[in-house]
Amino acid sequence: MQSRFYLIIIFFIGFSSLSQSIYKRDLGIMGSKFDITVVANSQTEANQYFEIAIAEMKRIENLISSWKPTSQTSAINRNAGIKPVKVDDELLQLIKRSIDISKITDGAFDISFASIDHIWKFDGRAHSMPAESLINASVKVIDFRQIVLDKEKSTVFLKKKKMKIGFGAIGKGYAADKAKQILIRKGVVGGIINASGDMNTWGEQPDEKPWKIAITNPLDKTKSYGLFELNNQAVVTSGNYEKYITIDGERYAHIIDPRTGMPTKGILSVTIFAPKAEMADALATSVFVMGSDVGLNIINQIPQVEAIIVRNDGSLATSKKINITSQ
């Protein structure tokens, strides 16, 4: 449903006289670019932490990937309209939380959107709408209300044939959350998991200063909307300015409205601050679909969640507690 872009710049402050230092590793996982930052006593110690985080994210990928035929998610999709599939409680709970977000956003977020993935092409080759019959056929099997969970038996059943679930709009955020949790349990006092733009932080830098990020202006990347301190927070930025389609002079985002099967329009980027990357990930998608006015109305009702929205014309819309200092 969406992809991530590096709109967020991490600023590190000097700390050369301190015993602990910041270490960083870049890697590719879940089909995306990830980077892991940890506060550690040595490179050797940091390397051990990196391997722990990578193993955890690979475990998540093997559980939720709809591209791996051996995953439980693929088994659910293969048995759509046929029978329930027994899954780990972890996956059951992730699907349950996804359905809860679908209810809050009135279907703007829906993990059963996966059936429409192959219809729209945002690689620069397409300049016209897909056939209406294809869009309508896909939309008919997109409905979070047709996902049946049995908590006692730990099963998931997609009621309609050809239904599919996918975690493209929440999975990387969930992986970032899980990697953060396991590193905290291992004693890492501070760090950042950046899952291709789905960023989760904890602790502080070695000089006891908070992690800071700058949200860049998508219309002029030499400018930003100011520095923001992160206090054990997640932040996700999603944008359409590098991946979109123009039809009859109208710009459409690569993020699809699961209720209509049509690309969203009107917004260039959405940044969400939230306690967890999973939530921020899902809400960033939802705001694109709902639009800035309805989206902000929802955001302002959710505790500890804030948003910065850049519309197509460059104007800003922000939630109540966001203070933009510069552009």
Side-chain angles (χ1 to χ4, degrees):
M1 184 180 284
Q2 66 178 330
S3 60
R4 298 283 177 238
F5 305 98
Y6 281 83
L7 313 184
I8 299 172
I9 304 171
I10 304 171
F11 289 81
F12 298 114
I13 312 299
F15 46 83
S16 57
S17 63
L18 302 176
S19 59
Q20 289 189 316
S21 297
I22 290 175
Y23 299 89
K24 182 178 177 182
R25 179 180 292 184
D26 298 328
L27 66 147
I29 194 170
M30 299 177 75
S32 300
K33 179 183 177 183
F34 279 53
D35 57 72
I36 307 168
T37 302
V38 297
V39 175
N41 294 306
S42 67
Q43 183 68 63
T44 299
E45 184 180 69
N47 289 342
Q48 293 172 347
Y49 293 144
F50 293 146
E51 294 305 318
I52 290 170
I54 291 168
E56 176 68 357
M57 291 188 290
K58 286 183 177 178
R59 184 188 69 80
I60 297 298
E61 182 179 23
N62 289 331
L63 181 68
I64 70 173
S65 173
S66 57
W67 300 102
K68 291 180 177 289
T70 56
S71 75
Q72 293 182 9
T73 300
S74 292
I76 293 169
N77 291 341
R78 282 195 302 271
N79 287 281
I82 300 172
K83 64 179 181 179
V85 174
K86 187 172 178 60
V87 299
D88 292 351
D89 184 66
E90 179 180 8
L91 183 57
L92 188 81
Q93 295 303 321
L94 177 61
I95 294 172
K96 180 184 180 302
R97 293 194 300 274
S98 298
I99 293 172
D100 289 342
I101 295 175
S102 294
K103 293 176 180 177
I104 292 170
T105 62
D106 194 27
F109 175 83
D110 193 329
I111 58 171
S112 68
F113 76 93
S115 64
I116 205 167
D117 265 1
H118 64 284
I119 294 177
W120 290 94
K121 306 296 181 184
F122 294 92
D123 54 9
R125 292 178 297 176
H127 300 286
S128 60
M129 299 285 188
E132 187 175 352
S133 59
L134 287 176
I135 297 174
N136 292 339
S138 293
V139 170
K140 285 181 180 179
V141 294
I142 299 175
D143 188 353
F144 67 91
R145 290 170 289 263
Q146 303 300 313
I147 305 172
V148 180
L149 306 182
D150 188 323
K151 296 178 183 178
E152 291 186 2
K153 295 180 180 178
S154 194
T155 61
V156 181
F157 178 49
L158 307 182
K159 292 174 69 174
K160 295 182 178 182
K161 288 186 177 181
K162 296 185 179 181
M163 271 189 82
K164 295 180 181 178
I165 60 171
F167 297 96
I170 197 171
K172 288 189 285 291
Y174 179 62
D177 290 340
K178 295 295 288 185
K180 169 184 171 178
Q181 289 172 12
I182 199 168
L183 289 180
I184 289 174
R185 290 199 300 269
K186 294 296 181 179
V188 182
V189 297
I192 304 168
I193 306 294
N194 187 351
S196 190
D198 295 3
M199 186 179 296
N200 206 341
T201 69
W202 73 99
E204 299 173 325
Q205 300 183 61
D207 57 4
E208 299 184 347
K209 292 184 178 180
W211 304 107
K212 292 183 179 181
I213 55 98
I215 310 298
T216 59
N217 183 336
L219 295 175
D220 184 351
K221 294 183 181 179
T222 66
K223 299 179 180 179
S224 77
Y225 297 118
L227 282 174
F228 297 85
E229 293 184 357
L230 299 177
N231 181 21
N232 295 311
Q233 283 178 296
V235 58
V236 168
T237 297
S238 181
N240 80 335
Y241 44 87
E242 292 180 359
K243 195 174 181 182
Y244 60 91
I245 187 172
T246 302
I247 300 174
D248 296 331
E250 191 80 26
R251 181 188 181 113
Y252 295 88
H254 67 286
I255 299 171
I256 305 298
D257 185 337
R259 301 167 299 187
T260 65
M262 294 293 292
T264 57
K265 58 182 181 178
I267 293 177
L268 277 179
S269 72
V270 176
T271 297
I272 300 289
F273 298 85
K276 291 187 176 182
E278 173 193 316
M279 175 185 288
D281 205 349
L283 290 175
T285 300
S286 302
V287 171
F288 255 101
V289 173
M290 293 185 290
S292 59
D293 292 341
V294 175
L296 280 182
N297 182 50
I298 296 294
I299 295 298
N300 283 326
Q301 296 179 57
I302 304 175
Q304 297 179 286
V305 175
E306 302 296 335
I308 300 172
I309 301 169
V310 184
R311 301 185 184 96
N312 277 357
D313 62 2
S315 63
L316 292 182
T318 66
S319 55
K320 293 177 180 178
K321 295 183 180 180
I322 291 291
N323 180 28
I324 299 297
T325 57
S326 65
Q327 296 185 35

